[in-house]
Amino acid sequence: MPYQPRVAILVPAPDYPENWRPAFARKAAALNGAGLAVDEHVWTAPGDLAGFDLVLPLFAWGYQRDVARWYELLGDFEASARHVINPVALLRWNSDKAYLRDLEAKGVAIVPTVEVAALDDAALDAARVVLGGEEVVIKPAISGGADGTHRLGPGTPIPVDATGQRRLVQPMMRGVLDSGEFSLFYFGGRFSHAVVKRPATGDFRVQEQFGGRETAWEASAEAHALADAALAVAPVAPVYARVDMVADGAGRLHIMELELIEPSLFLHHAPDKGAAFARAIYAAL
């Protein structure tokens, strides 16, 4: 029997509230179909990974809630020369949304962003002046699943969890409400599929746990060009990538974020149901 490479997938802690099992099953099935043996390890305490050919952080959900442990884990991977996909250097770069400045510096259109070291009313007012609007969204620079993300209209007080904290301030992009947030997926540098995610009525967050829903989307030429430009800025070419973008009031697309660590890949919308994803992972071995 030919050797079957062993892959350790990092998963959430047992008390993590979101239902990650269905997405895990789809990814595991695709990897099994490519000839990879899959095992799961809780990312906060993964144990001995020496016997594995590859580590995938695909479900390290909640890393933004224990940032110190996350960076410690990345350091452990570097020290042990563990084979991790995406590579550790890319995971570290993508962990903090300060990478958006790198994209902007290269001329990539991002959602306008003001970083505030310690958010208070004065800093928020100053950010609104720079952004040219009263309605804004604030989020942690290290975040996931819309944790700590708030929509603030004129006169809305700063939430307690954000007061005095480092935050990114962005305009409320009306395109999220009008047309949704677009996601393009790339495996091994090749485009696979795209979806549009729309928030529930009365909300602005597109994540499933907040009532968001997604449908397949025929990505436009503009979307492809923007995604290609954004991915070209990454310090290492990603094996898997999700590129999130949203339109402004004039319909021009802007990068919301790059998801290179633990993205939902919506493989059930991929025409091959994840075969290209699995081939890219196998090729990375």
Side-chain angles (χ1 to χ4, degrees):
M1 172 180 277
Y3 177 70
Q4 190 174 30
R6 299 181 66 205
V7 176
I9 298 182
L10 303 183
V11 301
D15 60 349
Y16 192 75
E18 294 176 39
N19 182 17
W20 53 275
R21 282 290 176 186
F24 179 91
R26 285 191 288 268
K27 290 176 182 174
L31 294 170
N32 289 156
L36 298 169
V38 172
D39 197 7
E40 58 186 70
H41 291 253
V42 174
W43 78 264
T44 52
D48 184 7
L49 299 176
F52 289 88
D53 300 280
L54 183 64
V55 177
L56 295 175
L58 288 171
F59 287 91
W61 292 6
Y63 75 87
Q64 74 279 4
R65 301 178 184 181
D66 194 348
V67 175
R69 177 69 189 105
W70 172 245
Y71 282 130
E72 179 185 0
L73 180 64
L74 296 184
D76 291 344
F77 288 157
E78 286 175 322
S80 61
R82 187 75 57 225
H83 191 184
V84 184
I85 295 298
N86 281 315
V88 172
L90 192 56
L91 302 180
R92 192 183 296 280
W93 178 77
N94 193 230
S95 294
D96 191 310
K97 289 182 176 58
Y99 70 79
L100 289 171
R101 292 196 297 265
D102 296 341
L103 272 63
E104 187 176 34
K106 293 294 186 179
V108 178
I110 66 168
V111 172
T113 302
V114 174
E115 182 176 333
V116 176
L119 190 65
D120 58 17
D121 290 335
L124 183 60
D125 289 343
R128 282 180 163 133
V129 171
V130 172
L131 297 172
E134 286 293 317
E135 190 172 30
V136 298
V137 171
I138 62 171
K139 62 182 65 171
I142 301 176
S143 63
D147 272 6
T149 299
H150 304 280
R151 179 181 177 183
L152 305 182
T156 304
I158 298 173
V160 173
D161 70 290
T163 301
Q165 302 300 310
R166 178 188 176 212
R167 288 294 182 268
L168 304 183
V169 185
Q170 299 176 327
M172 176 59 213
M173 301 292 282
R174 302 299 302 182
V176 173
L177 307 179
D178 297 336
S179 55
E181 179 180 298
F182 307 107
S183 293
L184 283 70
F185 303 86
Y186 293 80
F187 305 131
R190 296 187 176 187
F191 172 74
S192 169
H193 60 290
V195 300
V196 56
K197 299 169 289 181
R198 295 182 173 87
T201 302
D203 208 325
F204 70 102
R205 297 164 297 187
V206 299
Q207 288 78 10
E208 182 181 4
Q209 65 268 30
F210 300 112
R213 62 203 185 281
E214 91 284 341
T215 55
W217 181 60
E218 188 74 29
S220 64
E222 179 191 4
H224 280 290
L226 182 59
D228 289 344
L231 291 174
V233 180
V236 181
V239 175
Y240 60 87
R242 190 181 95 196
V243 185
D244 293 340
M245 58 186 70
V246 63
D248 60 20
R252 184 190 179 204
L253 293 173
H254 299 254
I255 295 294
M256 179 75 77
E257 61 183 325
L258 299 181
E259 290 271 11
L260 310 178
I261 302 173
E262 29 65 87
S264 293
L265 297 177
F266 300 104
L267 293 182
H268 53 297
H269 287 294
D272 61 6
K273 304 306 179 187
F277 157 72
R279 285 196 301 270
I281 298 299
Y282 199 107
L285 286 167

